[in-house]
Amino acid sequence: TDSGEHRALRSRLVLATVRLHAAVASALLPTPLKPHYAFNLRDMRRLVLGLCRCEPLHYRTAEGMVRLWAHEAERVYADRLVDAKDKSHFDKLLETQLGQHFDLRYAQLVGGEGASESDKTDNFTGQPGEGEGEGPRLLF
């Protein structure tokens, strides 16, 4: 069954996707040196298809699903960027969406600086690391 928690997460993912796309498309415009910066609705489609093609095993928690969303956003948008300034700007745009819609920071998702110890030990599927308690509640 589709719980309210699933619907809320889905709604936040859609809204974050639309807002990230709008921010990227308006901030990273094509130039003669960067004609491939012409972002369009196909890019949003590619991000969503990436989410849909992943096996549910890889995102059994809400945080795992958001991690997958951030990965797909980087794959679709950031992989096309050619210089450090543009990549840094994209990172800020992604960080903004993570904060606004999921109350998360990128470092928390990937276990980097600023992440708690449990953020660093949980794996992609959200299963607890060795020596931890029961771990996060599963969505599916």
Side-chain angles (χ1 to χ4, degrees):
T1 62
D2 192 26
S3 73
E5 185 178 350
H6 292 133
R7 281 190 297 276
L9 179 61
R10 234 185 358 248
S11 295
R12 289 183 295 163
L13 285 167
V14 169
L15 187 57
T17 300
V18 170
R19 288 191 176 161
L20 178 65
H21 175 79
V24 169
S26 65
L28 300 169
L29 299 170
T31 67
L33 294 175
K34 303 171 187 174
H36 59 284
Y37 279 25
F39 299 102
N40 58 47
L41 292 179
R42 286 187 206 119
D43 298 308
M44 279 196 330
R45 177 184 178 270
R46 288 176 44 219
L47 192 157
V48 172
L49 282 176
L51 295 176
C52 293
R53 288 181 176 150
C54 191
E55 294 290 325
L57 169 67
H58 297 294
Y59 53 87
R60 295 189 61 166
T61 66
E63 186 174 303
M65 188 67 186
V66 175
R67 184 180 299 117
L68 176 62
W69 175 83
H71 167 78
E72 290 299 319
E74 288 181 323
R75 182 184 64 80
V76 170
Y77 295 105
D79 284 357
R80 289 166 61 181
L81 306 178
V82 295
D83 60 33
K85 179 182 167 210
D86 291 342
K87 289 179 183 178
S88 175
H89 189 70
F90 173 80
D91 291 344
K92 290 175 187 170
L93 296 174
L94 181 61
E95 188 77 36
T96 298
Q97 297 307 314
L98 287 169
Q100 285 180 353
H101 299 286
F102 309 108
D103 198 29
L104 289 169
R105 293 182 47 239
Y106 186 79
Q108 290 173 292
L109 291 176
V110 297
E113 187 177 322
S116 70
E117 199 55 41
S118 65
D119 291 330
K120 295 178 184 179
T121 55
D122 287 351
N123 66 21
F124 187 75
T125 60
Q127 300 301 313
E130 195 162 316
E132 291 185 12
E134 293 187 24
R137 197 180 84 192
L138 299 179
L139 286 176
F140 304 100

